[in-house]
Amino acid sequence: WVFIGWYAGVRVGFGKYRCPEALQVLVAGVVLGWVTGLNKKDDVHDSFDLVKWQGLTWTGSAVLKNWPVVQDYFGVIIPIGISEA
């Protein structure tokens, strides 16, 4: 979806407003998650405890330590990075 929006020049929006491709993918993913039952109300409620100010800390070593986990998401990270560049 990101590649189609980026390379085909398809613009989604109304008037002068243009909805970014990454936001379109995000909205579609959220909708599909709820429609298919993958998202559960209790899990979403519990995740609010994780969203808070964590302070200024160096996290580079944690990223490098968990590099195999990050590699699984390159299929999402790279297209969104390209679309927002």
Side-chain angles (χ1 to χ4, degrees):
W1 189 335
V2 173
F3 285 123
I4 291 171
W6 181 258
Y7 291 112
V10 176
R11 301 291 181 237
V12 175
F14 301 101
K16 292 186 178 185
Y17 172 74
R18 180 181 158 265
C19 184
E21 290 86 4
L23 181 61
Q24 297 169 30
V25 173
L26 180 72
V27 169
V30 169
V31 169
L32 286 172
W34 284 108
V35 169
T36 61
L38 184 64
N39 294 347
K40 297 185 178 25
K41 181 180 175 185
D42 294 334
D43 293 338
V44 173
H45 186 272
D46 292 341
S47 70
F48 286 125
D49 295 335
L50 301 174
V51 180
K52 60 183 175 181
W53 173 253
Q54 302 292 332
L56 299 175
T57 57
W58 169 250
T59 58
S61 58
V63 169
L64 295 176
K65 182 174 71 173
N66 295 319
W67 189 251
V69 176
V70 175
Q71 290 175 336
D72 293 339
Y73 294 100
F74 276 152
V76 175
I77 294 170
I78 293 173
I80 289 179
I82 290 172
S83 72
E84 295 302 319

